[in-house]
Amino acid sequence: MHTFELSQPPIPKQARNGLLGSLYVVLFKAKINLLLPFGPMAILLHYLTRKHGWVFVLSLIGITPLAERLGYATEQLAHFTGPTVGGLLNATFGNATEMIISIYALKKGMIRVVQQSLLGSILSNMLLVLGCAFFAGGIVHYRKVQVFNKAAAVVNSGLLLMAVMGLMFPAVLHFTRSEVQYGKSEISLSRFSSCIMLIAYASYLLFQLKSHHSLYNPINDEGLNESVSDEDEEPEISQWEAIIWLAVLTAWVSILSGYLVDAIQGASDSMNLPVAFISVILLPIVGNAAEHASAIMFAMKDKLDITLGVAIGSSTQISMFVIPFCVVVGWIMGKQMDLNFQLFETATLFITVLVVAFMLQEGTANYFKGLMLILCYLIVAASFFVHIDPSSKSPFLVFFPTSNQRAEIIPI
C-alpha cells in the first residue's frame, strides 16, 4: 500500500463537466456497462413470466457491472480521502455486493445461502482469483521470478486460520453432540466468537493502516515513483459525485439482489443445479468480478503486493468481518445465523487456507503455482456440484441403500 498524499488533487476535466461528464464516465465509458440492461430485463421477466431460471441468470449478469462500478466509485473517492480512510472505504465497499445479498437472504431466513455464498466468496478469491493472477503474471513475466511482501502475506494467512478456528468449533461442537444445551450452545458460541473476530479485524485495520503500515509497503520500492505516476492518475469524478454514485449503485445492487435471492430456489429446480453449487460457485463469481479483473491486471504489471491485497485481503475481510457481522445482524433480527457451516464446508475452507498458506510462504509466484490454485478450485467446484446440502442440521448420517438393502440412520 502506497502512502502518498492525495488530499488536494487537481480538478480534472471530467469533474468540471458536471452531471453529463459524470454520467459518461460512470455509465458509458467502461465496456462492462454493456451488461447493465440485463438488470431491468430480469425485473421485467420476474413479473411477466415468473421463470426463475432466466430471472436468476439475468440478475447475475446485471449485478456484475454494478459490482465493478462500485469498486470504481470507491477508488475515485479514495483519491480525496487519503490512504487511511481509503483503506476503510475499500474494506466497506469492496465486498458490498456480497454483504447486501447476504443481509437480504438473512432477512428471508435463507441462512444456508448466506453461509455458502460467503464461504464461496472466500474460496473464489483464494483459489480462482489468486490462481488466475499468478498464472497470468507468470506467463507475462516467465523469464523472472515474481516476488511479493512475505510478511504481509503471513499476517493475512494467520487471520484466515483464526477465521477457520472460529468456524470449526461450532461445527465440531454440533456434530460431536457435546453441547451443554443442544442447538443453543453453538449459537451462543458463534455470537461470542463473532464479536471476538470483529475485534480482531478492527485490530488488524489499526495494525495495517496505522501502527505497522510500513510492513505493507511493496517489496520492489525501486519502482515506487513510476508506479505512483502510473496508478495514481487524476480522479475522473468529484468527491460528491463519487459519494452520490456509491449511494445510487448500492441501492441498485440492493434491489437486484432481492430478485436474485428470490429466484435461487426456482433456478435450482429449473436448471437442475444444487443450491449449494449456485451459492458457493455462481454467486461469488459475480461478487468477485471486479476483484478478479484488477488482481490479474496488477499481476501482469508485476505489482503482486496489490494483487495479494485484492485477493487475500478480500478473503480476510469476508472471513473476519462480513461473516461475523452477518451473525450479529442475524442476532439483532432474531434469526438463528451461526458459524456452524457444516462439516463439508468447514473442511473445504480449512484445506483451502492451508494450501494457499503453503503457496505464499516463500514470497514468490509463478505460473505453475497459479495453475495449481486454479485446478484446486475446479476440484472444489466439482465437489459442490455433487454435494447435497442437508435440509436440517441433524447430527446423523443417512445411509442410502441399494435395492437389496434397507436404509440406516447412523449417528456421528
Side-chain angles (χ1 to χ4, degrees):
M1 180 181 295
H2 303 317
T3 53
F4 33 80
E5 189 58 41
L6 294 171
S7 55
Q8 291 181 329
I11 298 169
K13 287 180 184 176
Q14 287 93 331
R16 290 195 207 106
N17 288 339
L19 182 63
L20 288 175
S22 178
L23 281 169
Y24 168 74
V25 168
V26 178
L27 294 182
F28 299 104
K29 195 177 176 185
K31 289 177 184 174
I32 196 169
N33 288 342
L34 291 170
L35 302 177
L36 281 174
F38 284 95
M41 282 165 63
I43 296 171
L44 202 63
L45 212 61
H46 172 81
Y47 291 108
L48 292 178
T49 65
R50 300 274 175 182
K51 288 186 177 176
H52 293 296
W54 281 107
V55 173
F56 176 79
V57 171
L58 293 176
S59 301
L60 209 60
I61 297 168
I63 283 180
T64 307
L66 295 174
E68 192 276 335
R69 291 287 88 186
L70 260 176
Y72 169 80
T74 309
E75 238 174 67
Q76 294 297 305
L77 189 56
H79 280 284
F80 299 94
T81 58
T84 305
V85 181
L88 288 170
L89 281 170
N90 280 310
T92 308
F93 287 100
N95 295 308
T97 312
E98 289 94 331
M99 228 164 155
I100 292 165
I101 291 173
S102 299
I103 289 170
Y104 189 88
L106 198 59
K107 211 165 135 188
K108 286 269 186 181
M110 299 168 77
I111 290 168
R112 289 299 289 151
V113 170
V114 176
Q115 292 177 329
Q116 289 174 334
S117 64
L118 293 176
L119 173 87
S121 205
I122 299 169
L123 298 176
S124 168
N125 271 308
M126 293 181 74
L127 295 175
L128 185 64
V129 175
L130 193 63
C132 288
F134 277 7
F135 185 77
I139 295 293
V140 172
H141 302 281
Y142 70 96
R143 291 185 183 277
K144 61 177 277 191
V145 175
Q146 288 188 293
V147 292
F148 54 84
N149 191 331
K150 189 164 63 173
V154 167
V155 171
N156 279 294
S157 298
L159 275 171
L160 287 164
L161 281 168
M162 183 183 173
V164 169
M165 188 171 75
L167 266 60
M168 186 176 282
F169 286 128
V172 171
L173 197 66
H174 178 88
F175 285 96
T176 55
R177 294 185 66 108
S178 56
E179 298 173 83
V180 175
Q181 287 182 296
Y182 185 74
K184 292 183 180 177
S185 298
E186 67 184 90
I187 291 172
S188 303
L189 175 63
S190 296
R191 288 168 178 173
F192 175 78
S193 298
S194 295
C195 294
I196 297 295
M197 287 159 79
L198 288 171
I199 291 167
Y201 185 71
S203 306
Y204 164 68
L205 285 181
L206 185 70
F207 178 82
Q208 182 189 24
L209 301 173
K210 281 282 184 189
S211 67
H212 285 69
H213 64 84
S214 58
L215 184 71
Y216 289 84
N217 285 341
I219 203 154
N220 50 342
D221 282 335
E222 67 273 4
L224 183 62
N225 294 330
E226 185 189 338
S227 64
V228 169
S229 58
D230 282 348
E231 290 164 38
D232 201 47
E233 297 163 358
E234 286 184 347
E236 295 182 307
I237 55 177
S238 71
Q239 185 174 359
W240 279 107
E241 283 169 349
I243 292 167
I244 291 164
W245 277 116
L246 275 176
V248 169
L249 290 166
T250 304
W252 184 225
V253 169
S254 304
I255 293 164
L256 262 188
S257 296
Y259 293 97
L260 183 71
V261 170
D262 287 341
I264 286 175
Q265 189 58 56
S268 171
D269 298 335
S270 64
M271 299 194 305
N272 202 22
L273 288 173
V275 173
F277 181 79
I278 289 174
S279 303
V280 177
I281 306 300
L282 297 184
L283 286 183
I285 287 173
V286 170
N288 295 334
E291 286 104 321
H292 207 142
S294 58
I296 292 172
M297 182 187 73
F298 285 123
M300 290 170 75
K301 288 181 179 178
D302 199 21
K303 293 170 185 171
L304 276 189
D305 288 296
I306 304 175
T307 294
L308 281 175
V310 169
I312 302 299
S314 188
S315 298
T316 307
Q317 284 167 20
I318 292 166
S319 58
M320 293 298 290
F321 174 68
V322 181
I323 290 175
F325 179 76
C326 285
V327 172
V328 173
V329 169
W331 189 3
I332 294 165
M333 285 180 181
K335 307 287 183 186
Q336 300 290 297
M337 171 73 184
D338 58 17
L339 295 177
N340 176 10
F341 276 43
Q342 307 285 320
L343 287 179
F344 184 82
E345 285 86 343
T346 308
T348 306
L349 180 63
F350 183 44
I351 299 297
T352 299
V353 171
L354 282 184
V355 167
V356 173
F358 274 110
M359 293 286 184
L360 299 179
Q361 67 178 352
E362 288 179 343
T364 61
N366 52 56
Y367 75 90
F368 181 62
K369 280 186 178 180
L371 183 62
M372 280 197 287
L373 290 172
I374 294 167
L375 295 177
C376 285
Y377 187 73
L378 293 179
I379 293 172
V380 169
S383 302
F384 278 98
F385 188 74
V386 295
H387 171 62
I388 297 174
D389 194 42
S391 56
S392 64
K393 292 182 179 178
S394 169
F396 297 97
L397 288 176
V398 180
F399 170 67
F400 292 99
T402 55
S403 56
N404 59 347
Q405 293 174 311
R406 63 187 180 84
E408 292 179 50
I409 298 178
I410 307 162
I412 295 176

